[in-house]
Amino acid sequence: MPNDPPRAAPDYEPTTLGFALLGLLRDRPQTGYEIRRIFAETPMGTYSSSPGTIYPALKRLQEAGLVTRVPKKADGTRQNLALTQAGHTCLLAWLQRPVAAGDVEKHYDELMLRFAFMNDEVNDATRLRFLRDLGKELKAWLNRLHDYLKSHGCELPLNGRLALGNGIAEVTARLHWARRAYEIIRKTSRRPADCSNASTRERCRKRTDAT
Amino acid sequence: MPNDPPRAAPDYEPTTLGFALLGLLRDRPQTGYEIRRIFAETPMGTYSSSPGTIYPALKRLQEAGLVTRVPKKADGTRQNLALTQAGHTCLLAWLQRPVAAGDVEKHYDELMLRFAFMNDEVNDATRLRFLRDLGKELKAWLNRLHDYLKSHGCELPLNGRLALGNGIAEVTARLHWARRAYEIIRKTSRRPADCSNASTRERCRKRTDAT
DNA sequence: TCCGGCATGTAAGGTGTTACATGATTGC
DNA sequence: GCAATCATGTAACACCTTACATGCCGGA
């Protein structure tokens, strides 16, 4: 006898795009078009390409019971999309997932998406653990690349070596970022103040510079 | 009346993995298994995952007439894969393709693969043009990210801002790499010496450090 | 004799990609 | 009345992912 709302598919695993949609809908209910605009106009565009991708993904999330349609606030005519309880749970579980070995090489974009969506619902310990594990994995990867360059560098043609150097530079940048971000969160963890009160301007600028 | 060898498909566009396979087979004819090993044991592994990906891709390249089976040198029993003339042409055309707008955001891995395979068959002018255009696109992207951070940075939650900072750090690293690589190639362009003669050790190390 | 490495795949499934289709509003 | 933007999709297609299947060979 079915009693749960729209009969959620029990073990549906959203794709990276799916999680991006869940994260955006957690901020506030939105229409598919508004979400499209976000992808089109912000750096989140990395995670999608065109309406032909977004709408089917939203449909899948609805079929999985993670998203529902709700009437818009005032008029009620327009249909908005919002997270269900199951969708919220699914998102939170994803945000707390540990950094798996190999994620850093194959799914770095998903890791960054995850970090970007770790808001106040996730405590600082989780954030710090994420960054610490991320740093470990990045460091290990960087070591592998350095080892390869050391042992096979002279067999490679110039361009191959340079391309490898690009990879090393990239992973190095990520590693430095992870360590900086760790320190920033560790420091702000003591005095939990957000970016919405009076004396925020300077701190915000300071954080901004600390990219 | 068909007269061309295995009746090449005229306008087949290989995927990134397909081009990776073409590039590896240009170095020397190899078996599928040897190629698998390369993906498994070198940083090229970024471009593939498992035998279930590689073998079908090789099959497609054969069907497109870009790759054929040839008997192995000595014994003749084992079958090796090698580029056809069409495959070689296809690879060269790809290597000389200009850097398209948007490639830098969506297909950076393919761009790096391309650069890595630009060996002596491609002249230095092509290499330099590639790096120059790559630098331009990266710079433009970086500007877009900075603009976004400047205009919307304070609306973002801390983690979102940090994640954006990761993207900025990454693109910055790529841009610096592109400029360094440009200078390296420009300098060596005058005195074309490769890494296989006597006094190579130091230069090789120097280049290696210049990642 | 059996196990691990060599060597080459197939099958099911979901998903991204691209291109196209459609209707409702809103402003001029 | 018409164009642009809003808003939501569908369809065809190839591809990647994962897991599984198979046969051979050499060494313990």
Side-chain angles (χ1 to χ4, degrees), chain A residues 41-43 45-49 105-106 108 112-119 127 131 141 144-146 148-150 153-154 156-170 173-174 177-178 180-181 184-185 188 195 200-201 203-205 207-208 210-211, chain B residues 41-43 45-49 105-106 108 112-119 127 131 141 144-146 148-150 153-154 156-170 173-174 177-178 180-181 184-185 188 195 200-201 203-205 207-208 210-211:
Chain A
E41 297 167 4
T42 75
T46 320
Y47 297 99
S48 178
S49 45
E105 295 190 39
K106 298 268 182 188
Y108 195 77
M112 276 305 108
L113 188 72
R114 240 154 84 184
F115 182 76
F117 280 139
M118 287 186 197
N119 67 356
R127 270 191 277 264
L131 288 172
W141 187 15
R144 286 196 294 277
L145 291 176
H146 273 136
Y148 185 82
L149 182 62
K150 205 174 290 177
C154 263
L156 292 175
L158 173 57
N159 273 36
R161 220 171 326 125
L162 287 172
L164 182 55
N166 177 79
I168 290 178
E170 216 175 289
R174 288 174 179 175
W177 173 85
R180 278 199 310 273
I184 289 174
I185 291 188
T188 61
C195 197
T200 292
R201 207 64 65 79
R203 193 159 63 253
C204 180
R205 179 138 34 80
R207 276 173 184 163
T208 295
T211 46
Chain B
E41 296 167 4
T42 75
T46 320
Y47 296 100
S48 178
S49 45
E105 295 190 40
K106 298 269 182 186
Y108 194 76
M112 277 305 108
L113 187 71
R114 240 155 84 182
F115 182 76
F117 281 138
M118 287 185 195
N119 68 355
R127 270 191 277 266
L131 288 172
W141 187 15
R144 285 196 295 277
L145 291 177
H146 273 135
Y148 185 82
L149 181 61
K150 204 174 294 179
C154 264
L156 293 174
L158 173 57
N159 273 36
R161 220 173 324 128
L162 286 171
L164 181 55
N166 177 79
I168 290 177
E170 217 175 287
R174 288 175 178 174
W177 172 85
R180 280 200 310 272
I184 289 173
I185 292 188
T188 61
C195 197
T200 288
R201 208 64 64 79
R203 195 160 60 253
C204 181
R205 179 138 34 80
R207 276 174 182 162
T208 294
T211 45

